Each structure stands twice: as C-alpha cells, then as structure tokens.
Amino acid sequence: MLENLTKKDLKPLVVPYITGQMRDDWLDIIYQMANAKADAIEVGLPFSDPMIDGPTIQESSKKAIENGATTDSILDGLASLDIDCPIYIMTYYNLIVRVGIDRFVERVVSSKVKGLIVPDLPLEEIDELNTATRSAGVSQVLLVAPSTPDLRMASIAKRSAGFLYTMGLMGVTGERSSLPQSALETARRAKKVAPGDLPVLVGIGVSLPEQAREITKYCDGVVVGSAIVRRILNGSKIDEIGEFIQSFKS
Amino acid sequence: MDEPDSTGRFGTFGGRFVPEPLMQALMDLEVNFRKFWSDPEFKGEYYDILKNFGGRPTPVTFLKNMSNDLGVNLYLKREDLAHTGSHKINNVIGQALLAKRMGKSNLIAETGAGQHGVATATAAALLGLKATVYMGAVDVKRQGLNVFRMELLGAKVVPVESGSKTLKDAVNEAMRAWVKEVDDTHYCLGSVMGPHPYPWIVREFQRILGSEARSQIYEILGGKYPNYVVACVGGGSNAAGTFSGFVDTDAELVGVEASGGAALTYGTVGVVHGMKSYILQDEVGQILEASSISAGLDYPGVGPEHSFLKENKRVRYETATDSEVLSAFKILSSSEGIIPALESAHGLAWIIKASRTGEISQGSNVLLTLSGRGDKDVAEVKEMVDRGTVI
Ligand SMILES: Cc1ncc(COP(=O)(O)O)c(C=O)c1O
C-alpha cells in the first residue's frame, strides 16, 4: 500500500533536500534533519548532467561524484540509517536505467527508501518505472509546473504518490529572494486538482521561512533544496543546518 | 525514414525525457511543425530562402584524382558550398521560420565548434530574431574566431562554465535557459538529438540534402544509385538527411563516428539530453566526455534514430581515428582542391581505409556527404603541424 505523507499537526510539511555524499558527514546531517522534525527527507543521487538544477545543486553533485558517490554507495548509506523519517530519492532517469529498473527498485526497497522523484520523467514516460514502483510499494512522486494546464495537472496528480511536487516557477533549482507570483498561483491550482489525501508541496525557489509561511496558505508544505545545500557547501555546522530546518516549522 | 511513433520513438529509442516545465513547449512545437511542414506556403518560403540565400542546391562533385588512386568512383555532396559553410543552415532556416510562425521572438542554441551557433546567428539576423548561443567555456577559448563571427551577426554568446565546459554542458545550459524563457523563446537544437520532436524535425529539415543528392547522383550514374553512401555522425543530422534520400535503395549506408566520440560503436543505451539512445557513460551511469580533434563530433550521445538504424541493421556504423582523419584532410586538400571540415574528413578517412583494404570493392560508386568546409579547422591543424604532428 502506498502511503502519502501526512501532517502530524497544523504545521506545514517541511522536506529538506541533500545531495547524497556531498559531504563526508552527510548521514549525520540526515539524522539532524530528522531530529529537526523534517516530515521527510529528499536525498539526491548526483548526476553528471543535471538538467533542471542550478549552480548550487550542480556544485553539490560535482562534489559528491568527486567523493566517490555512486547509486550503490548512497543506497548502502541510507540502508544503515535508523530513523523513522521517510526518505525520498531524487534521481535523473539515466542512473535508474543504468542499473536496470527492476534491480534499482529492489535496491531502493532494501534501503528502506519510501519513494522516488525523477525530474526528467514526465507523465508520458513514467509507465515502465511506475509498474515496478507500484508493485514494490515505492511511491513515485510526480511533478507539475506553472506551465502545466489544469487538465494535465489533474492527470499527473492522480498518478502521483507520496505527495505532489509543485515547481514554484519556470526555472532551475536555486534560491530566490522573493516568492514568485507563479508559485502562489501554481500551488493554488495544484491544490484544487489534487486528490484530498495527496499533499501538495511546493519546491524550487523556496529558500526562507517567510516564503514557506506565505506559500503554505495555498498548499500543504515545502521542499527546501538549494538554501540547505548552499549551507552544507559553505561548511555550516550540523546543528546550524538543523536550526535552519526548524525555523520553517515555527 | 518514417515518422517516430506517438511517443516520439524510433523503435525503442527517443522519447521525451525532460522536466515537466518543458513538456507544453515540446507538445506545441510538435503540433506547429506538423501544421507548417504540410503548408505549401511555409515550405515555399523555406525552399526559397535555401535557394536564394543559402546557395542550394549544392553540387555533387566527382573526385577524379582520388578515384584514380583508390580504384573506386568517389563523389562528394558539397554541403561545404552551402551558406555559412555547412549543412547546418538547412536546419536553422527551417527552425527559425517555424519559430516566427509560432510567434517566438528569440532563438537559443547550443554550439560546440561554433558551426551551428554561426548558422543560428545567421538565420536570426536574416529573419529579425534575437539569438543567444550557449557555448562551453573551453570551446569559447578554442574557437575565438567563431565567437566573433556570431557576435558580428548580432548574437549573444554565453560561455558555459558548468560540468566539463564543452558541448554536452552547452546543451544542458541551453535547456536550463529554455525552461526560464519558454514563452517567447524557441530552442533551435542543432542536430537530430534531444527530446521528441527534435530528432524528427531536424531530420525533416535536413531531408533536402538527401533528396538533392539522390536525384543528382542518379543522373550522374546514368540511372543507378551508388553502392555506398557515407556520412560522418556527431549528433547525426547530416547523416540522417543524407540517408533519408537512400534508405529505400540498395546502397550500403555507412555512418562514421570519431573513435573518441563513438556512442554507437562503444556506447551503451541510456537517457541523456531528453532522449533514450546510445551514449558514452561509465559503469554507474555518469556521462563521459567525448574527445576528438573535430569539435563537431565531440559529443557523447547520438540521435535516437541512428540507434534504431544500428539495431535494425539498415546502417552500419564505423569509426575513424584522429590520425586517419588528418591524413584524409590533407589528401582531399592537396589532390582535389577541397579543404574539408574535420568532421566530414571522418567519412573520407573510412572510405580511404575501406578502399585500400578491399572492403569497398574496386569500381564501386561511393557517395560521401561533405558536411562542411575546413576553413574553421585550418588554424587548429596548423597548430598541430607546428607542434610537430605529421599529417
Ligand atoms: C561540418 C560539420 N559536420 C558535421 C557535424 C556533426 O553534426 P551532425 O552529426 O549533426 O551532422 C558538425 C557539427 O558541428 C559540423 O560542423
């Protein structure tokens, strides 16, 4: 049975992102994220050609690959974790195809990973992977964007499991000083078409707690990526990263 | 060569592996291409520009001296004589016209050596569009003259500092830029690669190359088709255009890759730049950098239709090494008075090799698409000679 993320209280859902193995203490950072009451954690598998990522996540991917990160090494690391916070893997499709869909999904299950986010797999291309994830009980999170028309958004939401990843703007991952109008509008539209039990989370361009508070008037939560990754890249201490995540919950 | 299926696939290759924000633009592009490519007025304008501005049709030239030496009858389809010096103009005129019909005012493009960038800048200047060209920072340094050419034509050149700072990263950056500007911008992709509908659109705009060559060589050979039809393969656009004119003949079709960028020969199936195709990648799935003396073939992937043509065995794919290519470059220059692009010299290098080993039997008729002229490459080759490389 595929479980969706659920809210424990009235606070918005907060899902921090980290690129796997971008820093030696990445697993400690994940523990800290869980302690900071993250509702789920998105862990990226680094890819050489990250099409929808801006400079910050590109840099973290490069670092991770230089640190020897591979699909196996990251999944092994995650398998060793003892936390009750669900982990979602973010990966470009080639890393899945390379391992083989069935074997990849098996690996994901044995690493206790809850779901997959594959940003270069639009609705038209999901079937092959979706067949495997569904029968393995792995949630496949789908994405919608400001350019997605209502009808299409509804079809995507229907197929999405775990939550619906709503891109707040037409652009790549990265921090923005203010929340774009498109984020509010897209969140509102997504919430309207999404099944009642599927939380709508807005990601891309949500960098500050104020922005999260504003956007969650229209949706259930946020994914915070580049703002965290920049802090990790800049050498922030683990408890500083935890505090930053907590500030989204207050 | 047929239309891809409704999922944008040639067999199992192709597709649309792109982030959601690009899907609407790709669907709009497909609808508009389908509409205008069957519109006589659109086609008329496309052919008119290629004739009166682009210098088409390009001739087919018999190579007397080399034919004598090799014992085969060697003919060249002369895309080096098309405006801007290569076949790239066929595609960009088509896409720029399409962009205008779709109401887009900007073009963005990726470029490696700069040929596609120059062609895009040219089409933009002609049709009153704004062009922005993404080029790896390494290539910007290597190809300073082409950067200046693009700027002279009114285009903005953006050096790409991400990844390996070469063509594959220029494609990523162009895609990233397109996501942001998709409303008023058309991404003018330079080869038969990327997400559907690009591999199909670009092949259709390059079809003119193959149809001209087909009727020209048929007449030259007195009502026969050649035994071999050869083209170099980077992304695969000049080869796709060429082969589209000959798939239904008995000709043996040969695509020649750079041995340092031979996705079809040494690669494995994967997904990059929006398509499923053969690519050069490591064992965990990271994309490798290609390495070849010709920047235009320095690409770790290949268009999906070529992966399909490899699997169904209608085309065979061969490779040529840098030194074989330099030698072919010199032979064509000195014995025929034609300086070829290093890319095109790959096709010639294979023909020379295969004629000498007898793989191409004596007396065969061989047609090679000379995809471009070598002016852009002479400085690089001179440097190699100055450094002591024997060619
Ligand atoms: C002269 C020439 N030939 C061939 C190519 C390779 O491209 P394609 O394989 O798409 O024809 C290029 C690319 O830059 C080129 O400039």
Side-chain angles (χ1 to χ4, degrees), chain B residues 86-88 115 191 232-238 296-297 341 343 371-372:
Chain B
S86 82
H87 68 293
K88 299 278 176 190
Q115 289 305 100
S191 191
C232 68
V233 177
S237 67
N238 87 87
L297 304 189
E343 290 81 8
S371 54

